[in-house]
Amino acid sequence: DAWTWFHSFAFDFSVWELWGALLHGGRLVVVPFPVSRSPEDFLRLLVRERVTVLNQTPSAFYQLIQADGDNPQMRRELALRTVIFGGEALDSGRLEAWYARHADNAPRLVNMYGITETTVHVTYAPLTAQDTSRTGSVIGRGIPDLRVYVLDRGLQPAPVGVPGEMYVSGAGLARGYLDRFGLTAERFVADPYGGPGERMYRTGDLARWNTDGELEYLGRADDQVKIRGFRIELGEIEAALAAHPVVSQAAVVVREDQPGDKRLVGYVVPAGELSAEDVEALRAAGGALRTHVGTLLPEYMVPAAIVVISALPLTVNGKLNRAALPAPDYAGQTTRREPTSAEEAALCHVFAEVLGVPGIGVDDNFFDLGGHSLLATQLAGHIRAALGRDVPIRVIFETPTPAGLAKRLGPEQQRRPVLRPRSR
């Protein structure tokens, strides 16, 4: 077998990628970062290296499905026999286009749920084309060296169809966290259904058993979320925002204002008594607050937008009312400086289309308006379709404005003919 090493070594999925291949005599193909951000280039690598086992977060695979559909010749040359999903919830309905072009077993798709504390998988669910009509994210049954419980607050088994928290025990479970005794005691608790001294891990994930004896993943029981495969503690981002001297309170939520596009959004309350002019200046400084967070946390934890509000909305119980937090106005963050060339105008249109805003100016930054690495791959595809130009993902990160990209797309840039429909 040939496996790909697609993910960062900071992501536990990479442990499976590395040792799944090397401990079993497989060949490991290291995927260059720019290739990992370009679905078409990655598809080309899969064909060239005759990769047979592919591990993907669902978000990345959805992009690969599009590239697979756009390149029928490469699609026919794929050697894949197994694709394993992990890192975030799978929307099986989005696999319909894949199954329209590929048989159930060529390759076999498998959805797996896992946690770092078991290094790294817990359950598995082989998929077929019939699963695309299912609702929810089915994660299947436990792997042989683990036991999975769905328990209520009293640590009693939840009946079929009733949500509960997932607990994991068995030989494959870690013993605890190195030198973090308090956290170990909190998360690794006594297993009332195991042998003497056995522990089970409290995952913080909600699930339920269905009538087929399979687990359905329902989301997090706490404020820990997953976006694009990364496990994120919202409290860490809130603390980073609150550390800025002009911020007194902060909240961070995950919004999905457009289906399938989850974004982190930060909300801040200004410190002290500020005039209307001061508050407006703070709103305009949202990019500076994002930069501040970026100096303290990884890129994937930087909010796509920062919204300034006078006070955090609360429920009648005094808790944060997340449903009452306003949607960010990405359009209001644009400069709207008009394009001066046809190419700049086309790029502004493409940027606005991908970001889902009414319009942008030539100096507007793609990432300041909510863009991220997965949207950047879509942007590259839209630019190729609109202008017939190949734009590496690296260039979008280096020059994330329409004006900057227009300058980079000189006459020496490789052109591709724009594909146009023709009647048969």
Side-chain angles (χ1 to χ4, degrees), residues 161-292:
V162 177
E165 186 170 351
M166 275 195 290
Y167 290 76
V168 180
S169 67
L173 181 64
R175 297 178 180 178
Y177 300 112
L178 181 64
D179 296 333
R180 300 190 69 180
F181 306 109
L183 186 59
T184 295
E186 177 186 340
R187 307 302 292 192
F188 291 81
V189 298
D191 182 358
Y193 306 103
E198 277 199 78
R199 297 277 167 177
M200 61 182 183
Y201 177 72
R202 180 184 180 186
T203 67
D205 288 318
L206 298 177
R208 65 186 172 205
W209 294 104
N210 63 21
T211 53
D212 295 325
E214 295 180 311
L215 285 163
E216 295 179 2
Y217 178 79
L218 302 175
R220 291 292 300 173
D222 52 26
D223 282 340
Q224 193 179 77
V225 298
K226 277 190 176 181
I227 294 184
R228 302 191 296 279
F230 293 100
R231 188 185 293 186
I232 295 171
E233 289 281 358
L234 298 180
E236 288 187 60
I237 309 174
E238 292 170 351
L241 280 170
H244 196 284
V246 303
V247 175
S248 66
Q249 291 179 280
V252 177
V253 300
V254 177
R255 298 189 67 100
E256 191 172 358
D257 296 312
Q258 297 184 30
D261 183 17
K262 292 182 178 180
R263 301 186 188 184
L264 290 169
V265 178
Y267 296 86
V268 298
V269 177
E273 293 294 330
L274 298 181
S275 66
E277 291 78 14
D278 291 333
V279 173
E280 193 58 36
L282 186 57
R283 286 195 175 98
L289 288 173
R290 293 179 70 255
T291 301
H292 162 75

